[in-house]
Amino acid sequence: MNAHVKIFLVGVLGVTLVLVALFVAVYGADSGAILRDVAGRTPLLLSGSADFSAFEGGFAANIVISLWAMALAAVAGTALGVGMISQSAVIRGPSVLVMNLLRNSPWLVVLYAMLYLLPFEVRIFGRFIEISPMIKATIGLALPVTANIAEVFRGGVESVPTGQWESARALGYRRLQILRRVVVPQAIPIMTPNLMTTYAMLFIGSSLVVVTGTHDVLSVARTVIASDGDHVATAVYLYILYLFFLFCFPIAILTRWLEQRVRVRK
Amino acid sequence: MTLDYAWLLDPLYQRWLLNGISTTVLLSLLGIVLMFVIGIIGAAFLHLNVRYLQTPTTIFVELFRNTPPLVQLFFLYFMLSDIGLTLTDPATGRSIPLFTGFTCVVLSLGLYNGAIAVEIIRSGLLAVPSQTVEGARALGYTRLQTFRHVELPIGLRLCIPPMASNIVSLIKTSSQAVLVAVADVMYGATQIMLETFRNLEVMLLIWVVYLVITGVAVLIVRRIAAAVRIPGYGS
């Protein structure tokens, strides 16, 4: 853990210094005034409201969207992963195809496609349910990540020694039972770091939801720039860069630590 | 729901799409070159334990890996236009901005995927068998010569599979160019959507276009991998 703590401290301190240096290099003597202006916009950028009264926009929206998208993708990805290791070629072939298609499609294109593919509202039991941009963004982000999770699932299952399968078969378990009760529980420690990497990637990708018209941190940033003037643009984007870094870097370090622990135990 | 692709027969739209595809390919190729330059230099600094450069390299890698390429792109776009470097066109004498949207996209692709490439190449270098490295040292190669003639060639071959997915990710990320008004294939698509209102059809077509581009890229990487294979190293 010590080496990881060191990298963490070096990373956080170093990146803070680099970003501050960039900020001062761009703004020179105006740095103080600009910094005060942008700092005053903190509640708006973080929560989408001017005084932290609600958490429906800004960086909070990115976190909410990424969590929902991860949950959706985890369910769909596990199903796709089970399909990919199926013994029947009729299920395996299409599953592998879908996984490859989803994995190779650009997130931005999927997001745009979801924007137009999903209806404006759906009718369930006579009641109209509106599909908000946020829901579309969540589904659009979840689709490509489904492929990644399916790959992680397959990799994890394949890392469990085949002897486990054979002994469970000898005890009379059926295939899905073996997966659920024997193989997957052993694969979870191996899958966890990869899932965390996938989540970090998803969170980084959540910056793209700005194109769907959600009030995420980038669309709030655009509003701030439009009202405060173009000269704050660099400062605002530096700030957002720092926000994303502070959220993703601890996840990355934790992932590396877990990865090492799993490897040692093996 | 029926899909109407009649607009695809219009030569204007065909030209927009083809121009867009060539811009996307050009963006990706330049991005890949920059990615390899950054990746190899960064990995060399880390692997050779260059004093005073290791920590800056680590900070660079962590900064660009853990932030969205889109925010990096916007940041570069606004910061570099603030600095406002210009080139003088020798033919017309006009000054043109050095950092256009196109340059910024190439830079952001190179920086984000380059930071990932540093880690990929470094793990490739670590996977080179120590006996091979010791053999080179025993033959009288210096540390730098060993790196240049033994570790790097083998390490790069060993990291082909993760590098292939990094290249695919770079091509996919290049679609962000549309958000700083670079006329790539997404830009052509948005223009066509504005004129025809065939939003869904256009987006599905663009989806297929990207799948084809990335598919071709994967095929090319496989051919290269087969051509440069050294028996005994990698599969």
Side-chain angles (χ1 to χ4, degrees):
Chain A
M1 189 71 194
N2 267 330
H4 296 289
V5 171
K6 197 181 147 217
I7 292 184
F8 180 72
L9 291 177
V10 167
V12 169
L13 284 177
V15 167
T16 311
L17 280 178
V18 167
L19 294 183
V20 167
L22 274 173
F23 181 80
V24 173
V26 171
Y27 287 107
D30 299 337
S31 299
I34 299 273
L35 187 64
R36 259 197 308 282
D37 279 1
V38 175
R41 295 297 188 178
T42 301
L44 203 59
L45 286 169
L46 282 181
S47 68
S49 59
D51 52 357
F52 288 120
S53 57
F55 286 89
E56 285 162 352
F59 203 61
N62 283 62
I63 297 176
V64 170
I65 290 177
S66 68
L67 288 176
W68 275 110
M70 188 69 186
L72 271 180
V75 175
T78 309
L80 193 61
V82 172
M84 278 164 58
I85 53 170
S86 158
Q87 277 183 321
S88 119
V90 184
I91 301 175
R92 198 176 57 234
S95 302
V96 172
L97 185 73
V98 166
M99 196 281 293
N100 275 310
L101 286 185
L102 287 180
R103 204 174 49 166
N104 284 346
S105 20
W107 297 32
L108 199 56
V109 176
V110 180
L111 276 170
Y112 267 120
M114 284 308 120
L115 200 54
Y116 304 124
L117 193 65
L118 298 174
F120 171 66
E121 54 186 10
V122 285
R123 208 185 145 152
I124 298 173
F125 304 122
R127 282 180 55 200
F128 287 102
I129 297 177
E130 189 198 346
I131 300 190
S132 68
M134 205 150 163
I135 299 178
K136 290 183 177 179
T138 308
I139 297 175
L141 277 182
L143 272 179
V145 176
T146 299
N148 293 21
I149 291 186
E151 263 296 272
V152 169
F153 181 84
R154 179 169 74 168
V157 168
E158 277 173 2
S159 70
V160 174
T162 47
Q164 296 289 325
W165 282 94
E166 283 149 21
S167 9
R169 182 84 40 83
L171 290 172
Y173 283 98
R174 273 179 287 112
R175 208 178 144 73
L176 279 180
Q177 279 179 324
I178 301 176
L179 257 186
R180 204 167 67 104
R181 303 201 181 273
V182 180
V183 173
V184 171
Q186 296 185 66
I188 281 176
I190 297 157
M191 280 161 27
T192 313
N194 295 335
L195 283 177
M196 285 167 63
T197 310
T198 309
Y199 176 71
M201 205 180 66
L202 168 66
F203 190 75
I204 281 175
S206 78
S207 62
L208 292 172
V209 301
V210 62
V211 301
T212 59
T214 319
H215 290 289
D216 74 316
V217 67
L218 276 180
S219 69
V220 173
R222 282 181 174 179
T223 320
V224 168
I225 292 166
S227 71
D228 292 6
D230 273 347
H231 62 284
V232 299
T234 309
V236 169
Y237 286 125
L238 263 178
Y239 190 20
I240 296 177
L241 216 53
Y242 196 47
L243 282 181
F244 271 96
F245 176 77
L246 286 184
F247 192 89
C248 294
F249 188 49
I251 300 180
I253 292 288
L254 200 62
T255 309
R256 269 177 248 168
W257 174 67
L258 266 179
E259 234 165 21
Q260 207 179 35
R261 246 180 49 148
V262 170
R263 214 176 305 145
V264 167
R265 214 189 302 158
K266 258 170 125 180
Chain B
M1 192 161 57
T2 51
L3 296 178
D4 176 11
Y5 276 102
W7 51 271
L8 203 50
L9 295 173
D10 191 326
L12 176 68
Y13 296 158
Q14 290 174 359
R15 208 175 61 236
W16 282 358
L17 281 178
L18 289 179
N19 283 346
I21 291 174
S22 58
T23 309
T24 294
V25 171
L26 186 65
L27 270 178
S28 310
L29 283 179
L30 290 175
I32 290 171
V33 170
L34 186 61
M35 174 194 91
F36 268 108
V37 171
I38 292 178
I40 291 175
I41 294 179
F45 285 165
L46 291 180
H47 192 71
L48 296 174
N49 291 325
V50 184
R51 195 188 299 240
Y52 305 126
L53 282 176
Q54 252 184 328
T55 316
T57 311
T58 313
I59 292 172
F60 163 84
V61 171
E62 301 300 357
L63 172 60
F64 283 97
R65 254 167 51 129
N66 290 306
T67 49
L70 182 59
V71 184
Q72 292 167 18
L73 175 61
F74 282 155
F75 166 69
L76 284 173
Y77 192 63
F78 281 97
M79 187 189 77
L80 297 178
S81 62
D82 269 4
I83 296 175
L85 288 178
T86 52
L87 283 174
T88 314
D89 191 335
T92 58
R94 250 177 354 142
S95 67
I96 43 174
L98 176 60
F99 295 108
T100 55
F102 188 89
T103 336
C104 290
V105 174
V106 171
L107 275 177
S108 84
L109 288 178
L111 288 173
Y112 174 69
N113 292 87
I116 298 173
V118 170
E119 287 292 308
I120 293 176
I121 295 176
R122 199 165 81 113
S123 62
L125 290 172
L126 288 177
V128 177
S130 58
Q131 297 93 322
T132 315
V133 182
E134 283 157 18
R137 295 306 297 275
L139 287 171
Y141 282 76
T142 61
R143 186 77 188 85
L144 211 60
Q145 281 174 328
T146 316
F147 182 76
R148 159 80 186 73
H149 295 288
V150 179
E151 285 179 282
L152 193 58
I154 297 175
L156 281 180
R157 283 171 173 80
L158 290 177
C159 71
I160 283 175
M163 200 51 100
S165 55
N166 196 25
I167 287 173
V168 168
S169 130
L170 186 141
I171 296 172
K172 293 192 301 188
T173 314
S174 80
S175 60
Q176 292 172 1
V178 67
L179 298 174
V180 291
V182 173
D184 73 335
V185 66
M186 275 293 279
Y187 187 81
T190 45
Q191 294 296 309
I192 296 173
M193 290 194 298
L194 282 178
E195 292 205 355
T196 62
F197 299 107
R198 295 273 158 215
N199 296 344
L200 182 59
E201 285 91 337
V202 176
M203 265 309 140
L204 291 179
L205 181 75
I206 296 303
W207 197 337
V208 173
V209 167
Y210 272 104
L211 287 178
V212 170
I213 296 178
T214 50
V216 170
V218 169
L219 279 183
I220 293 176
V221 171
R222 272 196 206 146
R223 291 294 287 274
I224 294 176
V228 300
R229 203 175 86 87
I230 301 178
Y233 291 105
S235 50

